[in-house]
Amino acid sequence: MTQHQNTQTMKPATAAKKLGVYLPATPAEFQEGVVSRAELNALQAEPPQWLADLRRNGPHPRPVVAARLGVSIAGLARGGVTEALTTEQIDALKRDMPEWLRTERATQAKVREESARLKEKKAAKAAAEAQDR
């Protein structure tokens, strides 16, 4: 008996998200087709020029913009950034450091500190429970 392996495919939007690129900036053939798991793996392993250019110069999707600015996606929205930005635009925001960006970065730093504190507390509690056993 032979097994037939089904080829896993995904919509272009899903593939773009996994590749960290802004779908409307991808080539038309990428946007109009479906992407198999093997094709996605090949794109990740050896990115074609268009993918390398998009990753380097943008426009970047909001999660990438948020990460590069050191803020949350909600922070971007609060700052009025709702569209994709290029690397040049992101660098300009970092240079100019508007008030909203300073505020959101500070907020994000507090969130990270609190997460680290809670993680430490949880680890200490687990260690104490293990010692009691």
Side-chain angles (χ1 to χ4, degrees), residues 114-129:
E114 181 64 7
S115 293
R117 186 189 71 79
L118 291 174
K119 185 176 179 181
E120 247 179 58
K121 184 178 176 182
K122 185 178 178 181
K125 183 178 178 184
E129 287 175 358

Side-chain angles (χ1 to χ4, degrees), residues 71-89:
V71 299
S72 66
I73 294 172
L76 280 181
R78 285 189 293 269
V81 178
T82 56
E83 71 283 344
L85 298 180
T86 64
T87 299
E88 191 175 296
Q89 292 169 313

Side-chain angles (χ1 to χ4, degrees), residues 10-18 21 23 30-31:
M10 60 192 84
K11 294 177 183 175
T14 303
K17 187 174 183 178
K18 289 179 181 286
V21 296
L23 180 62
F30 181 86
Q31 292 179 38

Side-chain angles (χ1 to χ4, degrees), residues 31-51:
Q31 292 179 38
E32 295 164 1
V34 292
V35 180
S36 71
R37 174 65 62 190
E39 290 168 332
L40 179 70
N41 291 340
L43 287 170
Q44 289 173 325
E46 293 184 35
Q49 191 62 47
W50 65 265
L51 181 54

